Amino acid sequence: MSTLPVISAKNLDLVFQTGDGSVHALSDITLDIEKGEFVSLIGPSGCGKTTLLRVIADLEKPTSGEISVNGTTPEKARLDGAYGYVFQQAALFPWRTIAKNVALPLEIMGLPAEERTSRIKRNLDLVNLTGFEKKFPWQLSGGMQQRASIARALAVEPDMLLMDEPFGALDEIVRDHLNAELLKLWATTQKTIVFVTHSIPEAVYLSTKIVVMSPRPGRIHEIIDCDLGADRPLDIRETPEFLKIAHQVRDGLREGHSYDE
Amino acid sequence: MSAVRPNWQALAALVTGLISLAGLPFTATMGTGASLLVTAIVLVAAILSMLKLRPVAQAIILAVASHFAAWLLIGGLADAFGTAGFGYFAALAASWLLAWRLVTVLSEMKFIAPVAKRTIALIVPAIFGIWILILWEALTRGAGVPFVLLPPPSSIGARIVTSTNILAADFVQTVVKAVLVGYIIGTFSGFLVAVMADRFRFLAAGLLPVGNMVAALPMIGIAPIMVIWFGFDWQSKAAVVVVMTFFPMLVNTLAGLAATGHMERDLMRTYGAGHWQVLAKLRLPVAMPFIFNALKINSTLALIGAIVAEFFGTPVVGMGFRISTEVGRMNLDMVWAEIALAAVVGSLFYGLLALAERIVTFWHPSYR
Ligand SMILES: Nc1ncnc2c1ncn2[C@@H]1O[C@H](COP(=O)(O)OP(=O)(O)O)[C@@H](O)[C@H]1O
Ligand SMILES: [Mg+2]
């Protein structure tokens, strides 16, 4: 295996200047993510999970510190199409059909029509949306919309997926189902995934590594290894190993939580 | 009691119908028999409409009765200008109330077939328009309103029929030349400047105050200047239209281009999309409802601008020219014929744009 981590952050700091003072969103973040890992960022809201993901994606510039993505700057990685980003909402364009939405990044990349068609088919298939190509986003349920947005991110064929609470707005049953699908996808594609969540079971179920963050200023409290093996049926969540890690994460969150609010 | 379902329009029609009996005959040339026939129709229809009939049957009874009564009433005004008494107006009010009831019944009907729904959506405003004409005709001629004050629609219609050549020439001069050319140049340049101002912010900073000022200039100031610059013919009117339509398009397009959400912009950024790609694939589609808003506003402004600009010097053709000269000659029917033409042209223009908007922005929450 290669020795260089795919994402390497060293002493990252990010301060937002706002009208009423400054917000210390990230403080002294040092984190390495290896190729093929599934890393979850977990923590109470406002602890900087989204901000950290956006720094990796070059949607936000750190105030100080170093970060490399794919051995280069985040900007270069972004322009190379190194990652696919899945937002909290599906952010599909309502004037495009599902197939055309998946085609969007491919059009921007300037891929020829046949290549686009085959990638659309392959990736819609991967997220179980075959047959919905000609539907418009607003004709689909929230879960299906989010799956379409994952297909859109995958169509770029990136080495890395950055996902910001992609299933946060969905109900528990749909969420379980999509978690299982995502895990299968990760196992078959060997992609590196950075996944933001504030659900402990979700983090433990999916990850190889859980980064527990705490707020004010946003920082890493603890990094917990979590390898439940490649084969994880949904009911693994009842096993003692699973519950042990979940407990560890909960303790970490509790310690990192400031009680002054 | 179960067989009867009273409603206030029918009750009011019943009362006004009975009142009309105290004012027989209705006009100088309408015999008592004909007057009684009208009242009888109204009273019978009012009573029938309060019975528990199927809505379709009610609608047919009301439609036939109210319009037949109106037809008789207007016929009764032949050679009887200004002689209608209070009985006449009571009967007119009664038939109008029946028409009101008709519209109410129609709008309460529940249809599943989209064709039926669309037909009702057309019939209701049509009945509305017809009754404006009926009341206008009956009131002006029945009460003897002076011709210069308000000619009846029948004389306006007759004038339209006998003056199609003049109206056609005026239409070509004002609408096809001045409005269309000015509208296309004004809206296109407003759009292009907005796109450029969005790309190069300093342009927006410099242009918006100037544009604001130009938009605030009164047309009576601009129109004569344009005549001096571009001559008496339609070109100067088109120039006025350009000035009037440019700014609404500029402002609306800029607002539309700013309406894109952060998440969608970030998404395009993750793809490394360039400015023009983001514009074409994201920001212009989002801006479409704003752009259509400007197109619709401008359709009205352009027509007003071209017509009024002709008040300030023009060759002897054009809708504005005709209105200003025929007013001077007291030919009010010709003035109203031009107004009717302008109303039809304006509505068609607006309607076509609204239709195009529905097709282009089908995805917008207000349409889908
Ligand atoms: N663009 C911004 N400008 C100012 N403050 C921001 C901005 N984005 C995030 N913040 C602040 O930074 C902190 C971390 O936010 P975020 O990363 O969204 O947290 P999380 O995703 O963990 O809920 C919060 O206090 C938030 O209000
Ligand atoms: Mg967040």
Side-chain angles (χ1 to χ4, degrees):
Chain A
M1 279 297 293
S2 73
T3 49
L4 270 178
V6 198
I7 297 167
S8 173
K10 211 172 277 162
N11 310 113
L12 279 188
D13 254 67
L14 197 152
V15 179
F16 286 113
Q17 300 298 342
T18 62
D20 46 359
S22 57
V23 180
H24 205 159
L26 296 177
S27 162
D28 198 24
I29 301 283
T30 298
L31 177 68
D32 281 348
I33 295 174
E34 309 291 335
K35 186 167 169 46
E37 273 195 295
F38 195 126
V39 176
S40 285
L41 309 179
I42 191 168
S45 73
C47 72
K49 307 180 294 290
T50 298
T51 307
L52 178 53
L53 204 65
R54 288 172 61 86
V55 169
I56 298 170
D58 188 41
L59 295 174
E60 217 76 76
K61 295 259 186 274
T63 315
S64 67
E66 279 163 46
I67 174 152
S68 75
V69 178
N70 263 3
T72 168
T73 62
E75 182 177 8
K76 182 138 192 319
R78 170 173 66 85
L79 295 175
D80 287 347
Y83 66 82
Y85 199 106
V86 179
F87 291 85
Q88 251 171 306
Q89 274 105 47
L92 300 168
F93 293 180
W95 54 89
R96 284 177 171 248
T97 60
I98 293 301
K100 282 280 181 193
N101 265 290
V102 177
L104 175 72
L106 311 179
E107 289 168 17
I108 291 165
M109 291 159 73
L111 294 186
E114 307 150 39
E115 176 67 15
R116 290 205 302 258
T117 319
S118 75
R119 285 202 194 186
I120 292 165
K121 192 182 168 333
R122 186 153 15 106
N123 288 291
L124 281 179
D125 208 30
L126 216 54
V127 297
N128 275 330
L129 277 180
T130 305
F132 293 92
E133 291 84 355
K134 293 204 167 70
K135 293 271 186 230
F136 284 93
W138 28 276
Q139 298 170 319
L140 266 53
S141 70
M144 291 165 111
Q145 290 182 20
Q146 199 50 284
R147 264 153 46 199
S149 92
I150 292 172
R152 180 180 61 187
L154 290 171
V156 179
E157 300 191 346
D159 298 331
M160 219 185 310
L161 274 182
L162 308 177
M163 310 177 86
D164 188 0
E165 298 190 38
F167 312 136
L170 307 176
D171 64 62
E172 189 115 359
I173 297 168
V174 176
R175 195 178 177 138
D176 279 353
H177 176 68
L178 291 184
N179 277 339
E181 279 189 53
L182 180 61
L183 206 55
K184 226 182 326 169
L185 197 109
W186 172 69
T188 50
T189 57
Q190 301 291 303
K191 289 190 195 307
T192 312
I193 298 182
V194 186
F195 188 93
V196 171
T197 179
H198 52 224
S199 152
I200 296 172
E202 191 172 62
V204 179
Y205 177 68
L206 291 171
S207 317
T208 57
K209 198 150 120 185
I210 299 172
V211 178
V212 180
M213 296 180 68
S214 60
R216 274 171 297 271
R219 60 196 184 278
I220 294 177
H221 176 76
E222 188 182 5
I223 298 180
I224 297 170
D225 281 319
C226 163
D227 210 341
L228 294 171
D231 182 38
R232 301 178 214 177
L234 270 171
D235 48 22
I236 200 171
R237 294 179 299 185
E238 320 294 332
T239 63
E241 301 111 288
F242 184 99
L243 294 173
K244 194 172 138 245
I245 300 173
H247 202 83
Q248 214 177 334
V249 176
R250 180 166 289 114
D251 284 345
L253 284 171
R254 204 168 286 153
E255 287 161 21
H257 200 279
S258 38
Y259 285 99
D260 53 351
E261 48 189 332
Chain B
M1 204 58 232
S2 64
V4 184
R5 198 167 37 187
N7 60 78
W8 73 265
Q9 291 102 334
L11 286 174
L14 216 55
V15 173
T16 43
L18 290 172
I19 290 174
S20 76
L21 290 175
L24 293 169
F26 291 164
T27 72
T29 58
M30 208 169 168
T32 307
S35 304
L36 273 175
L37 176 61
V38 173
T39 305
I41 290 169
V42 168
L43 293 180
V44 169
I47 289 165
L48 284 178
S49 81
M50 283 191 283
L51 299 180
K52 275 206 170 147
L53 298 171
R54 290 173 51 211
V56 179
Q58 281 195 9
I60 291 172
I61 291 168
L62 286 166
V64 171
S66 62
H67 293 102
F68 187 52
W71 182 71
L72 289 174
L73 283 170
I74 285 173
L77 286 171
D79 302 318
F81 188 77
T83 65
F86 80 88
Y88 182 87
F89 292 112
L92 182 67
S95 39
W96 172 62
L97 284 162
L98 292 181
W100 190 336
R101 182 68 206 156
L102 167 64
V103 170
T104 312
V105 170
L106 285 177
S107 356
E108 279 168 2
M109 279 186 179
K110 302 256 184 299
F111 287 107
I112 299 153
V115 185
K117 270 189 204 159
R118 222 168 296 149
T119 314
I120 292 294
L122 286 176
I123 285 180
V124 170
I127 293 174
F128 206 84
I130 287 170
W131 273 88
I132 288 179
L133 293 179
I134 290 172
L135 294 177
W136 179 353
E137 180 80 19
L139 288 173
T140 46
R141 282 172 60 203
V145 175
F147 196 76
V148 285
L149 217 54
L150 186 62
S154 55
S155 353
I156 298 170
R159 173 57 82 168
I160 291 175
V161 172
T162 53
S163 313
T164 44
N165 287 342
I166 296 175
L167 288 168
D170 291 348
F171 170 79
V172 169
Q173 172 75 12
T174 305
V175 176
V176 178
K177 291 177 180 168
V179 169
L180 231 49
V181 172
Y183 181 85
I184 290 170
I185 295 176
T187 44
F188 256 98
S189 53
F191 174 78
L192 286 182
V193 170
V195 169
M196 295 321 288
D198 172 76
R199 179 77 187 85
F200 308 104
R201 297 312 308 192
F202 71 93
L203 265 181
L207 266 172
L208 280 177
V210 175
N212 252 318
M213 212 181 64
V214 173
L217 287 179
M219 205 188 358
I220 30 171
I222 300 173
I225 293 172
M226 292 301 161
V227 170
I228 294 168
W229 286 356
F230 298 105
F232 273 96
D233 210 346
W234 62 268
Q235 289 87 346
S236 58
K237 283 66 192 174
V240 171
V241 173
V242 169
V243 172
M244 289 183 75
T245 55
F246 173 82
F247 194 63
M249 190 49 143
L250 173 64
V251 173
N252 274 283
T253 307
L254 279 176
L257 289 175
T260 311
H262 286 290
M263 203 188 287
E264 285 78 9
R265 278 188 217 214
D266 284 344
L267 179 74
M268 294 301 270
R269 194 172 146 81
T270 68
Y271 300 145
H275 176 82
W276 301 110
Q277 281 177 319
V278 177
L279 190 72
K281 293 188 190 298
L282 172 61
R283 299 176 64 215
L284 278 181
V286 169
M288 272 309 156
F290 293 78
I291 291 172
F292 268 102
N293 199 25
L295 287 174
K296 290 192 290 188
I297 294 170
N298 279 351
S299 73
T300 315
L301 283 179
L303 202 58
I304 296 172
I307 290 174
V308 175
E310 287 180 7
F311 294 0
F312 300 89
T314 168
V316 290
V317 62
M319 294 164 72
F321 160 79
R322 197 75 54 205
I323 290 172
S324 60
T325 50
E326 298 297 329
V327 162
R329 293 187 194 156
M330 296 291 197
N331 285 336
L332 267 295
D333 51 350
M334 192 64 213
V335 173
W336 280 95
E338 294 283 358
I339 290 173
L341 176 61
V344 169
V345 168
S347 310
L348 279 180
F349 199 173
Y350 193 94
L352 281 178
L353 287 167
L355 192 69
E357 179 180 27
R358 276 194 96 102
I359 294 168
V360 173
T361 62
F362 69 94
W363 49 270
H364 198 261
S366 57
Y367 293 123
R368 72 198 185 207

